[in-house]
Amino acid sequence: MTNNYFCTKLNGAMNNIKILPIFNQSAPNVWEDFIYIRGLSMDYVYDYHFNVEDYVLALDDFRDTWRHNSMNFAFGAYDGMNMVGFIRGYCNDRTAQIDNLYVLPKYMRHGIGGRLLAAAQRSVIFDADYAELVSLLHAQEFYARNNFTPVSRGSNRFYKTLSRSSLTGGNVVPVFYPNATVARAVRAIAIKNNAEPVDIRKIRTQRTPMFVYLDAESKIRGFGVAGDTDKAPTRIQVDQNYMTRYVSMCLGAKLSAVAHLHNNDR
C-alpha cells in the first residue's frame, strides 16, 4: 500500500473528530485530560517535560479559573470517546481570554486547533467583542493565520476583534452561561409558545447544557436545554413560524452529541 493510501485514511479519520462544548469543566477526568494533552504537546513541540510540580500548578490554575469566573468556556476535540485536544478560557469586560489551546502530537496539523479556536470564538458572541491570548513561540504563526494580531511589534500577546457576521461554525451555538440578552430571548420564545418559563438561574448554577439557534442576523430563533431527570426532560422551543422542524432537529442533534459528557457529570 502506498503512502497516499495511509495519508488518505488518516485524513478521513481526522474528519471524524468532533468538537464538543464542555459545559462542566469540574466533571470527572476533564482537567486530567487537559493536563495530559498539554503535557504531551509541550514535550513534543518544546521538549519540555511536565513534572509533579507542573501538574499541581496546572490543576490549581484550572480550578481557580473555574471558581472565580462564571463565564467560562471550553471545548474538547474527541476521537470517539477520547479527548485529543482542547481549548478553554473565560469572558470578562467584553473580552474573551483564551488561556489554553493544545492538541495531542498525533493529531497536530490536521486543522483541529483551528476548529477549536473557531468554536470558542463563536460561543462568546453574546459576551465578548474581543479575544485575547498569550501565545507560545511556535504558535504565533498559527494565530496570525487565524486573524489574530500582536498588540505591539514583537509581542506574544495577541488580540482579535470579534464580529458576529464574520464568525463561522453554523447556526447552533452553545451557551455556557446565559447572560441577560440570551435570557430575554429565551423567555420571549417560551412565552410565545405558551410554554413553561425557563429557569435561567438553574442553568447557570448547574452548568446545564444549552444551545441556541441563530438566524442570518444572529438573532436567537430557538433554544434547547438538556434534561437531567424524568421530571426535567430535554426542552426544545422554536420561534413560531420559523423552520420549526429543522431548527428542532438541529438543536436536538447538538444536545444528543454532548449527552455522554453531561451524563458523566452526575
Side-chain angles (χ1 to χ4, degrees):
M1 295 183 181
T2 65
N3 287 335
N4 287 337
Y5 169 83
F6 288 110
C7 288
T8 301
K9 189 173 182 180
L10 180 59
N11 288 333
M14 294 301 172
N15 290 334
N16 292 326
I17 302 298
K18 294 182 178 180
I19 308 299
L20 299 176
I22 302 171
F23 290 93
N24 183 5
Q25 294 178 44
S26 65
N29 301 321
V30 172
W31 288 327
E32 287 77 3
D33 284 346
F34 286 177
I35 294 171
Y36 174 75
I37 294 168
R38 179 176 168 181
L40 288 184
S41 176
M42 291 292 290
D43 189 3
Y44 179 79
V45 177
Y46 298 98
D47 196 28
Y48 181 86
H49 309 292
F50 259 41
N51 54 37
V52 175
E53 183 179 359
D54 292 322
Y55 179 93
V56 172
L57 289 174
L59 189 57
D60 287 343
D61 177 54
F62 293 155
R63 285 173 175 165
D64 288 344
T65 303
W66 175 254
R67 290 169 179 167
H68 298 134
N69 298 282
S70 58
M71 293 185 179
N72 290 277
F73 59 86
F75 289 82
Y78 290 88
D79 186 354
M81 297 291 290
N82 299 315
M83 190 191 297
V84 301
F86 75 95
I87 187 171
R88 61 178 288 275
Y90 61 93
C91 293
N92 185 39
D93 292 333
R94 302 297 303 174
T95 299
Q97 182 68 46
I98 298 172
D99 282 347
N100 296 110
L101 170 53
Y102 292 98
V103 177
L104 286 177
K106 175 184 174 182
Y107 295 84
M108 291 178 179
R109 302 189 183 280
H110 290 282
I112 295 173
R115 292 172 62 193
L116 286 165
L117 187 59
Q121 293 173 81
R122 183 72 171 166
S123 73
V124 300
I125 60 171
F126 295 108
D127 302 302
D129 301 312
Y130 305 93
E132 288 186 352
L133 57 90
V134 175
S135 173
L136 296 175
L137 179 62
H138 292 296
Q140 292 181 13
E141 183 178 342
F142 163 78
Y143 289 116
R145 289 199 308 270
N146 285 276
N147 301 314
F148 279 77
T149 305
V151 296
S152 60
R153 184 167 181 170
S155 174
N156 67 341
R157 180 173 289 278
F158 285 66
Y159 77 97
K160 179 179 180 179
T161 301
L162 301 178
S163 169
R164 293 187 185 183
S165 61
S166 66
L167 297 178
T168 60
N171 297 92
V172 181
V173 178
V175 178
F176 292 96
Y177 189 89
N179 64 11
T181 300
V182 174
R184 283 194 298 269
V186 165
R187 285 169 178 151
I189 292 172
I191 290 172
K192 285 182 182 179
N193 292 340
N194 294 318
E196 292 184 9
V198 180
D199 192 341
I200 295 295
R201 180 176 295 181
K202 181 179 178 181
I203 293 172
R204 289 171 176 168
T205 57
Q206 296 188 4
R207 304 289 180 168
T208 306
M210 179 180 184
F211 292 88
V212 294
Y213 185 96
L214 307 180
D215 65 13
E217 297 178 349
S218 296
K219 181 180 179 180
I220 295 176
R221 292 292 192 168
F223 68 90
V225 180
D228 51 13
T229 66
D230 292 337
K231 293 183 179 179
T234 296
R235 286 192 61 183
I236 295 177
Q237 294 285 327
V238 182
D239 207 348
Q240 291 181 350
N241 302 320
Y242 187 83
M243 303 187 299
T244 304
R245 185 173 181 180
Y246 174 75
V247 174
S248 297
M249 180 182 68
C250 292
L251 290 166
K254 290 294 185 180
L255 288 168
S256 296
V258 300
H260 72 280
L261 298 178
H262 182 49
N263 289 338
N264 289 338
D265 295 354
R266 292 181 267 145

